[in-house]
Amino acid sequence: MNKSSKIYVAGHNGLVGSAIIRKLESKGYQNIVKRTSQELDLRKQAAVEYFFENEKPEYVFLAAAKVGGILANAKNPGEFLYDNVMIQTNIIEASKNFGVKKLLFLGSTCIYPKMAPQPLKEEYLLTGELEPTNEPYAIAKITGIKMCKSYNEQYGTNFISVMPTNLYGPNDNFDLKTSHVLPALLRKVHEAKLNNSPYVEVWGTGHPFREFLHVDDMADACVYLMENYSYKEIGEIINIGTGEEISIKDLVDLIVSVVNYRGDIKFDPLKPDGTPRKLTDIQKLNKLNWKSRISLKKGIEETYEWYIREKKYE
Ligand code: GFB
């Protein structure tokens, strides 16, 4: 990839897509192509083929997806399956048809079996039952992984699949019904402080563990892999994470201290906990000389500063 290469970032307004744009621009890439979902419905194959035929991007970051937290997945299984399969299938097929030199497909660590040994190694894929609350999303992402692998084998394409852990940061979704846990708690604790609420409600028991990677670290890893490694060196999938986990309860305590909220925390065990742990094994990534840099505390502080500045209320 050189500075004048034509690069298409699918999903450029989302959490990861916008971070990839920031990273590419900061590294001097000038020829970046973007389309909003109003300009280009990626679920429509003819529209995607027409776009690729006219723009002929050389490199593609496939960061467009229908994403959401545990309840959003559980309540909208059909949408999570259909939208993600259509979006990724259309872009991967068009990338093959119009000679894209390299594509990076974003999966998720929820593709691994619910009770897989921890930390999660890439070879655990498809070795057990998936977590029910996000099975449709996971099936869609596994389909994308297998499509990239199959196209590389049949057509000689160079499509790589990366599996990020839970991500957070600027431009995240803060809608309390559809968001992931970290932005949801940041908003809840912030509003509880503003409204002098006596307590904040947290879903589940607080016992599950999660790993959190700041989206700027994620974008750095995506651009690094796209610049330096091909499918042959990476293999079918590669985890991207920090290799460190925290319980939801300790995450709440960390957010409470960053926001400086003085009320109580109430756990609602009637809400789902989801998978107990999903810690990434990042040996494969570390061997490619990449490590995350942004600590969780610093990342939450920066995200909170961004949130207050941008007042990201849904
Ligand atoms: O981030 P999250 O929604 O999804 O939930 P997953 C993580 C944990 O946070 C669960 C707890 O144990 C929730 O019970 N939690 C506590 C909350 N309070 C809240 C809250 O206010 N909002 C939310 N959302 N959670 C997702 C998958 O799994 O991981 C996605 O559903 C994707 O498809 C993503 O793969 C990376 O981490 O459980």
Side-chain angles (χ1 to χ4, degrees):
M1 210 161 63
N2 61 55
K3 302 304 183 209
S4 59
S5 300
K6 182 175 266 196
I7 303 167
Y8 170 42
V9 180
H12 73 280
N13 278 328
L15 174 67
V16 181
S18 56
I20 288 173
I21 294 282
R22 289 196 299 271
K23 176 56 68 179
L24 288 169
E25 288 174 344
S26 74
K27 295 194 81 173
Y29 290 96
Q30 281 115 20
N31 196 359
I32 301 171
V33 179
K34 320 171 206 179
R35 287 292 182 282
T36 65
S37 49
Q38 285 71 35
E39 292 166 330
L40 176 58
D41 184 343
L42 295 171
R43 296 168 303 178
K44 307 284 184 241
Q45 183 173 31
V48 174
E49 292 282 326
Y50 180 80
F51 165 71
F52 271 76
E53 188 177 14
N54 284 279
E55 285 294 341
K56 291 204 175 42
E58 298 168 81
Y59 297 87
V60 176
F61 288 89
L62 209 182
K66 168 95 180 162
V67 296
I70 191 162
L71 279 200
N73 271 267
K75 287 184 176 166
N76 307 287
E79 261 179 86
F80 272 79
L81 189 56
Y82 175 79
D83 285 12
N84 287 304
V85 166
M86 296 308 285
I87 289 167
Q88 67 198 32
T89 298
N90 290 339
I91 291 177
I92 295 166
E93 170 70 6
S95 295
K96 177 262 290 181
N97 292 339
F98 294 98
V100 164
K101 289 177 184 154
K102 200 167 176 186
L103 173 143
L104 183 142
F105 171 63
L106 265 88
S108 158
T109 50
C110 77
I111 59 159
Y112 293 111
K114 173 172 187 149
M115 303 312 284
Q118 304 281 326
L120 297 163
K121 291 183 186 299
E122 288 86 352
E123 63 253 31
Y124 296 163
L125 176 61
L126 290 177
T127 56
E129 297 279 303
L130 296 168
E131 157 59 38
T133 55
N134 56 45
E135 185 182 74
Y137 179 75
I139 294 277
K141 288 299 180 180
I142 292 169
T143 303
I145 292 165
K146 294 301 179 185
M147 196 164 175
C148 289
K149 176 173 186 280
S150 305
Y151 277 38
N152 294 338
E153 290 165 358
Q154 182 171 351
Y155 306 112
T157 48
N158 188 12
F159 297 168
I160 58 180
S161 297
V162 301
M163 299 301 122
T165 188
N166 290 46
L167 302 171
Y168 72 97
N171 271 343
D172 205 342
N173 166 18
F174 289 87
D175 176 298
L176 295 182
K177 290 185 295 301
T178 60
S179 67
H180 290 105
V181 58
L182 198 150
L185 293 179
L186 208 48
R187 176 174 178 179
K188 284 182 182 179
V189 175
H190 173 71
E191 291 181 347
K193 178 182 174 184
L194 283 192
N195 306 330
N196 286 315
S197 307
Y199 68 88
V200 170
E201 191 215 82
V202 176
W203 296 353
T205 62
H207 296 153
F209 282 79
R210 290 292 182 276
E211 175 184 0
F212 295 98
L213 178 72
H214 192 282
V215 74
D216 286 343
D217 266 343
M218 173 64 185
D220 185 70
C222 290
V223 173
Y224 175 74
L225 291 173
M226 186 69 113
E227 286 175 330
N228 297 290
Y229 295 99
S230 68
Y231 174 75
K232 287 187 182 60
E233 295 141 319
I234 291 174
E236 185 177 26
I237 56 177
I238 185 166
N239 291 335
I240 300 184
T242 63
E244 292 159 24
E245 61 183 351
I246 183 172
S247 72
I248 296 300
K249 180 183 178 322
D250 289 346
L251 174 70
V252 174
D253 293 344
L254 179 55
I255 290 172
V256 162
S257 71
V258 167
V259 176
N260 192 23
Y261 171 62
R262 303 205 183 283
D264 292 332
I265 302 297
K266 276 190 182 173
F267 289 95
D268 174 1
L270 297 179
K271 291 275 189 345
D273 268 340
T275 193
R277 293 174 69 195
K278 44 181 181 172
L279 175 64
T280 54
D281 180 306
I282 50 172
Q283 292 177 68
K284 192 171 178 180
L285 182 61
N286 292 163
K287 283 197 186 95
L288 300 185
N289 299 315
W290 189 89
K291 274 191 183 310
S292 60
R293 284 193 286 256
I294 303 169
S295 73
L296 184 55
K297 184 170 187 303
K298 180 133 176 50
I300 291 174
E301 286 165 350
E302 286 175 3
T303 304
Y304 186 47
E305 281 155 25
W306 176 89
Y307 180 77
I308 293 173
R309 199 173 52 247
E310 298 286 328
K311 291 254 177 295
K312 278 295 160 191
Y313 295 107
E314 270 21 83

